């Protein structure tokens, strides 16, 4: 039976989103002869408008190596708490009814929602209100439960690893400490894996509150023993024992997610003060999310996109595609959202880092 699918990408962008869009469009068109509609700018495109574009083989041609999302995205448009300006003030309103109405207007049978924890929570809420939704897990932070890995993460780890390789030579030449701040709000996967791959000396994660005294001891021991430079990788969500995260803007201020950033400055100032060692800060920021996806993420995005189409064919609504071992499987969206996939401080990966002499802040 002929169907029309809609697809939207929500939350922060991430390398591999276009691979998912292309996978959905190609599988829906070539395998089933279905039509696909793209919704613009995440749920915003259903709150306003509706704002949509038809998607066919022609307009997904050539997008596989492109970063970002051809549909646009937003990490502020939660329809259940949507920022609306009233009498000069921004208030949060539940506009989910408008989303459901606009979805009916575009005449699609089902919706593919590609996003992280926040976006998939919205998808789940809409699904309980009767919308036929399937989910695709996305985030460079790799903090979503239920899938072994999210697409975008592999690319981010590659970008950070390359940066660490480059920073080694300049740190060594100048006998400096380099504090490299990477993304990872609640989970330190990017810091941990890129730190291991890029041979960091210290890695600081949100899961292990760090002891600045011990960090400085490790840098000093290294300076005495062999090397007058050190590379410190710190997740934006890491914080000292007894302290808190460094917040740039609260969720209330952004009308979305809390904006972190700046812990690297704190760590660098402490190293300079305690060790009298010249220290520089490098904040990699959105470079980690931009640009072309790695082959792994292109393949995973393609597999997730095609599997999402199969979920719709099987009418497995309210489910999300997930990588389990080597296979793409389906799990209820509610099993993936709510609590996060975080680094286990006692797990094998942290153990391996410590076994090769990386200081983990404790
Ligand atoms: O959730 C992914 C992420 O990359 C976080 O690690 C980071 O804190 C956040 O997005 C930044 O989002 P933006 O600056 O786009 O609002």
């Amino acid at each position: 039976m002929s169907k029309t699918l809609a697809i939207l990408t929500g939350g922060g962008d991430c390398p591999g989103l276009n691979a998912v869009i292309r996978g959905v469009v190609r599988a829906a068109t070539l395998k089933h002869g279905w039509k696909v509609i793209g919704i613009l700018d995440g749920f915003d495109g259903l709150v306003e408008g509706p704002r949509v574009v038809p998607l066919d083989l022609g307009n997904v041609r050539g997008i596989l190596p492109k970063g970002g999302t051809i549909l646009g995205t937003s990490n502020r448009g939660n329809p259940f708490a949507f920022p609306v300006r009233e009498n000069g003030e921004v208030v949060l309103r539940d506009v989910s009814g408008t989303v459901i109405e606009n979805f009916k207007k575009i005449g699609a049978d089902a919706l593919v929602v590609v996003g992280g924890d926040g976006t998939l929570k919205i998808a789940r809420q809409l699904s309980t209100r009767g919308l036929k939704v399937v989910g695709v897990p996305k985030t460079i932070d790799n903090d979503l439960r239920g899938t072994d890995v999210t697409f975008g993460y592999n690319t981010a780890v590659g970008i950070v690893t390359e940066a660490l390789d480059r920073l080694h030579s300049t740190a060594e030449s100048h006998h400096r400490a380099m504090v490299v701040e990477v993304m990872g709000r609640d989970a330190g996967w990017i810091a941990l894996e890129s730190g291991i791959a890029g041979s960091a000396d210290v890695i600081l994660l949100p899961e292990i509150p760090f002891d600045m005294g011990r960090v400085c001891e490790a840098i000093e021991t290294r300076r005495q023993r062999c090397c007058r430079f050190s590379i410190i990788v710190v997740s934006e969500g890491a914080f000292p024992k007894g302290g808190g995260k460094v917040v740039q803007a609260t969720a209330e201020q952004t009308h979305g997610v809390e904006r972190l950033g700046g812990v690297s400055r704190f760590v660098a100032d402490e190293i300079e003060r305690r060790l009298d060692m010249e220290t520089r800060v490098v904040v990699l920021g959105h470079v980690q999310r931009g640009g072309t996806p790695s082959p792994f993420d292109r393949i995973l995005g393609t597999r997730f996109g095609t599997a999402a189409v199969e979920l719709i064919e099987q009418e497995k609504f309210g489910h999300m595609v997930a990588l389990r071992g080597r296979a793409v499987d389906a799990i209820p969206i509610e099993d993936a959202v709510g609590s996060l996939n975080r680094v286990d401080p006692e797990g094998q990966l942290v153990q391996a880092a410590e076994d090769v002499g990386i200081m983990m802040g404790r």
Side-chain angles (χ1 to χ4, degrees):
M1 208 179 71
S2 180
K3 282 191 200 305
T4 301
L5 315 186
I7 177 169
L8 66 80
T9 53
D13 74 330
C14 160
L17 281 168
N18 288 326
V20 177
I21 297 167
R22 177 179 173 275
V24 166
V25 172
R26 288 186 71 89
T29 311
L30 297 173
K31 192 170 170 190
H32 299 287
W34 298 345
K35 287 201 174 65
V36 186
I37 299 169
I39 295 165
L40 299 177
D41 302 332
F43 286 106
D44 285 9
L46 286 175
V47 172
E48 308 142 2
R51 294 190 286 117
V52 296
V53 285
L55 290 174
D56 58 25
L57 296 179
N59 46 26
V60 298
R61 186 167 299 129
I63 68 171
L64 194 53
K66 282 196 181 148
T69 159
I70 59 163
L71 293 175
T73 188
S74 163
N75 55 6
R76 278 187 253 189
N78 179 355
F80 292 92
F82 199 81
V84 180
R85 195 165 275 282
E86 282 176 12
N87 304 324
E89 260 187 47
V90 177
V91 289
L92 300 179
R93 294 275 177 246
D94 181 347
V95 295
S96 55
T98 311
V99 166
I100 291 170
E101 277 310 302
N102 278 336
F103 187 72
K104 281 186 193 144
K105 274 189 203 159
I106 65 174
D109 300 291
L111 175 64
V112 180
V113 174
V114 192
D117 187 65
T119 305
L120 290 172
K121 267 186 199 149
I122 298 167
R124 183 179 161 250
Q125 277 176 283
L126 289 169
S127 153
T128 59
R129 306 261 311 260
L131 217 74
K132 292 180 176 169
V133 178
V134 302
V136 176
K138 163 247 66 156
T139 159
I140 66 160
D141 292 359
N142 195 35
D143 59 3
L144 238 146
R145 249 179 348 118
T147 181
D148 290 356
V149 71
T150 49
F151 69 87
Y153 170 67
N154 178 270
T155 307
V157 169
I159 293 168
V160 178
T161 303
E162 190 195 333
L164 296 180
D165 289 347
R166 288 178 184 278
L167 289 168
H168 263 88
S169 60
T170 172
E172 184 165 17
S173 304
H174 284 268
H175 319 297
R176 282 173 175 157
M178 286 283 188
V179 184
V180 187
E181 182 171 315
V182 300
M183 282 185 171
R185 314 170 56 76
D186 304 294
W189 293 109
I190 295 179
L192 179 57
E193 291 211 325
S194 62
I196 294 172
S199 176
D201 305 297
V202 178
I203 301 176
L204 306 176
L205 314 175
E207 292 87 345
I208 306 177
F210 58 86
D211 178 333
M212 205 56 229
R214 306 256 309 122
V215 170
C216 287
E217 254 170 56
I219 296 170
E220 182 56 22
T221 305
R222 188 177 139 80
R223 184 156 68 166
Q224 299 297 331
R225 202 190 59 226
C226 65
C227 316
R228 291 163 62 203
F229 74 98
S230 277
I231 304 282
I232 298 100
V233 182
V234 54
S235 301
E236 61 183 348
F239 55 93
K241 266 188 188 162
K245 295 187 183 193
V246 183
V247 177
Q248 294 298 321
T250 62
E252 288 73 38
Q253 287 167 325
T254 65
H255 304 302
V257 288
E258 184 179 68
R259 189 157 65 241
L260 301 178
V263 62
S264 52
R265 187 68 266 161
F266 167 79
V267 171
D269 289 348
E270 287 297 305
I271 294 170
E272 287 208 311
R273 188 175 69 79
R274 295 182 191 221
L275 300 178
D276 192 23
M277 181 174 188
E278 202 182 355
T279 306
R280 292 287 186 273
V281 160
V282 178
V283 180
L284 290 177
H286 294 79
V287 168
Q288 295 159 89
R289 279 200 344 219
T292 190
S294 65
F296 180 90
D297 284 334
R298 296 183 201 193
I299 296 164
L300 188 60
T302 301
R303 292 181 74 191
F304 277 177
T306 58
V309 172
E310 289 323 298
L311 284 191
I312 291 170
E313 162 77 346
Q314 294 158 19
E315 308 209 326
K316 264 188 135 173
F317 302 117
H319 279 66
M320 174 190 101
V321 299
L323 186 70
R324 305 287 199 117
R326 298 180 72 84
V328 173
D329 211 342
I331 61 164
I333 296 177
E334 65 185 81
D335 291 356
V337 297
S339 70
L340 295 172
N341 167 31
R342 306 183 78 212
V343 173
D344 176 2
E346 309 312 324
Q348 281 189 350
L349 210 50
V350 171
Q351 187 62 58
E354 289 183 328
D355 287 352
V356 294
I358 299 173
M359 203 276 168
M360 295 297 305
R362 58 186 176 184

